Each structure stands twice: as C-alpha cells, then as structure tokens.
Amino acid sequence: MPVTVPNFWDPRSIGDRPLIEPETIRFLASDDFPPFSFRDGTGRLTGFNIDLARAICEEMNAACSLRIKSFDALVPALVREEGDAIIAGLAPTEANVKTLRFSDRYLGLPARFAVLKGKEMDPTPEELAGKPISVVGGTVHEAFLKAYFADAEILAYDTATEARAALGTDEVVAHFGDGLSLSFWLNGTTSGDCCTFAGGPWIEPGYFDRGMAIAFRAEDSVRQAAVDHALNRLQINGVYSELYLRYFPVGFY
C-alpha cells in the first residue's frame, strides 16, 4: 500500500526568504529517541530529527552543529545559550509556549485504529457501536473514545502491549492508539504480521493536534522565521518526503 506523506505547510504561504537569516544554528538533541535521534551500530548519530536538522541548515546555507544532551537538560541548555534550537520532540504545550518560541509543526502524531488482517472495517462511531475496542487506560486516546465512540464497548488496558494483544485473542474488534508507535508495531516482529490500519488518521483539535516542533528562546524570532521558511521549502522540493519515507516505511497517516 502506498505510504501517505503528510503535508503541514501551505505552499502559497511561503513568501520570500526572510530578510535576516542566521549564519549558524546550534541544534540541541538527545540520542536515545529512535527513530528520531539515536546512535547506529557504528556509533554515528542519525535519525529523522537529525537528518531534518541537517537539511534545514543546507536549505538556509547556514553552518550547523549538533550537541547532545539528556532530554531533561535540553531546555536549561537552551536558556543558558549552549545551543540555539531544540529538535527533540518537545511539545508546544501551554506551559512551554509561555517561555519558548516554536517553529511550525513538522510532524503530527495522529491516532489510528488497528484491526486484524482480513477483518478490515470503516471504524466510525456507527460501525463500532456495541463492539469492543481496546485502548490504554488514562490516555488521551481513551478520553477521545469516551467522547466520540461512547456507544462502543471501551476496554481499557494497563499497557499498549496488552491492548494490542487483545486483537489477537478476539477480545476486541479494534485497537485505538498512537499512530506512530502502531506503525512500528505493525512493521515489527512482535505483531506477528497480524494486523493493519483501518480508516484514516484522527487529528482532532484538543486531542491529537500538537505534534512536534522546533523550540527556540522566546526572543529568537530571527531563527524561528528562517527555520519556518526552510521547512516549507523542504516540503516543496521533496526533501521532507524523502526523509519521512526513509524513517517511516509504514506511514501512520
């Protein structure tokens, strides 16, 4: 099945290059967040975020560096000006946007339904009314099901492993969860090639609309504007699509 590459940018909004562009960007990242940033078998730093940072610098014709920190140390390092931008999946939450500036979203994290192969369905509220659905308890995914699939039998499990395993035992007809992690499970060995996505991505505001963005110091409007322009250009020229397909062979959109 062809992989759908998401597009978060309107090509009509790209405009001219910013009048002021930084000559350097010192990115801060972690190295324990596969497939976004990790060390390969040779110890080389790689991943979707890492390659995207390099592509941004090439598009801007800026000197680029990467400094690795633990995730908890990234924001303090940015504030201390040990780097200029964090590319590590830091979410633009209400708390974060009060103290940091964020780029445009470069990757969304939709929710998806998964079902057993051979039992494909259109997972609408009407189709799943009265039917059992597995989900991890206490998550935004469970809250969404309770709000929009209230007529279904919602079965909450302690872990994603248990919620997904329920599909194979016929305890449920569908599982609802994070599309990104589900894509790796479907393409991995632990799923036993049992299942497939059903329906499309769920990106409802207030539930699944935050995604990933690059963080800057609150006053650094110059780098933020330059990076936003570069991200849009990478979508238009196909570089973003190439990176997405490289790291997400089972698309989650």
Side-chain angles (χ1 to χ4, degrees), residues 102-177:
F102 284 87
S103 72
D104 291 338
R105 182 175 55 159
Y106 66 84
L107 190 67
L109 298 174
R112 295 295 302 267
F113 280 98
V115 300
L116 286 174
K117 288 184 176 179
K119 295 187 178 181
E120 287 82 351
M121 67 173 70
D122 183 18
T124 62
E126 296 76 21
E127 174 69 23
L128 290 173
K131 298 177 181 177
I133 307 171
S134 68
V135 68
V136 178
T139 62
V140 66
H141 302 93
E142 182 187 26
F144 178 80
L145 287 180
K146 288 181 176 179
Y148 293 96
F149 288 77
D151 291 333
E153 183 185 353
I154 301 169
L155 302 181
Y157 294 78
D158 291 336
T159 67
T161 299
E162 292 172 308
R164 295 166 185 170
L167 275 174
T169 61
D170 287 331
E171 294 177 36
V172 299
V173 299
H175 167 65
F176 188 65

Side-chain angles (χ1 to χ4, degrees), residues 29 36 49 69 78 83 117 143 164 180 239 244 247-248 250:
F36 295 96
N49 283 348
K69 295 277 188 179
L78 180 67
K117 288 184 176 179
R164 295 166 185 170
L180 174 61
V239 172
Y244 182 87
Y247 288 103
F248 310 113
V250 177

Side-chain angles (χ1 to χ4, degrees), residues 1-17:
M1 180 182 295
V3 175
T4 298
V5 178
N7 181 7
F8 305 104
W9 302 274
D10 183 351
R12 296 171 297 181
S13 67
I14 187 170
D16 297 328
R17 280 185 176 273

Side-chain angles (χ1 to χ4, degrees), residues 19-194:
L19 295 177
I20 302 175
E21 289 189 313
E23 295 182 356
T24 63
I25 296 185
R26 298 170 300 160
F27 279 103
L28 297 165
S30 61
D31 62 356
D32 57 354
F33 186 32
F36 295 96
S37 53
F38 61 98
R39 302 281 180 178
D40 65 15
T42 67
R44 176 180 177 271
L45 185 64
T46 188
F48 179 77
N49 283 348
I50 304 305
D51 286 355
L52 181 62
R54 291 169 177 148
I56 288 170
C57 291
E58 288 182 13
E59 177 61 36
M60 294 170 51
N61 196 28
C64 186
S65 65
L66 283 160
R67 187 170 186 179
I68 301 304
K69 295 277 188 179
S70 66
F71 186 82
D72 291 342
L74 291 172
V75 172
L78 180 67
V79 172
R80 292 194 301 268
E81 299 190 15
E82 295 177 16
D84 303 311
I86 297 172
I87 185 164
L90 187 68
T93 61
E94 290 184 14
N96 285 336
V97 298
K98 291 179 180 178
T99 57
L100 301 172
R101 177 183 292 268
F102 284 87
S103 72
D104 291 338
R105 182 175 55 159
Y106 66 84
L107 190 67
L109 298 174
R112 295 295 302 267
F113 280 98
V115 300
L116 286 174
K117 288 184 176 179
K119 295 187 178 181
E120 287 82 351
M121 67 173 70
D122 183 18
T124 62
E126 296 76 21
E127 174 69 23
L128 290 173
K131 298 177 181 177
I133 307 171
S134 68
V135 68
V136 178
T139 62
V140 66
H141 302 93
E142 182 187 26
F144 178 80
L145 287 180
K146 288 181 176 179
Y148 293 96
F149 288 77
D151 291 333
E153 183 185 353
I154 301 169
L155 302 181
Y157 294 78
D158 291 336
T159 67
T161 299
E162 292 172 308
R164 295 166 185 170
L167 275 174
T169 61
D170 287 331
E171 294 177 36
V172 299
V173 299
H175 167 65
F176 188 65
D178 172 61
L180 174 61
S181 59
L182 276 174
S183 72
F184 287 102
W185 177 68
L186 293 173
N187 196 44
T189 57
T190 56
S191 70
D193 197 31
C194 69

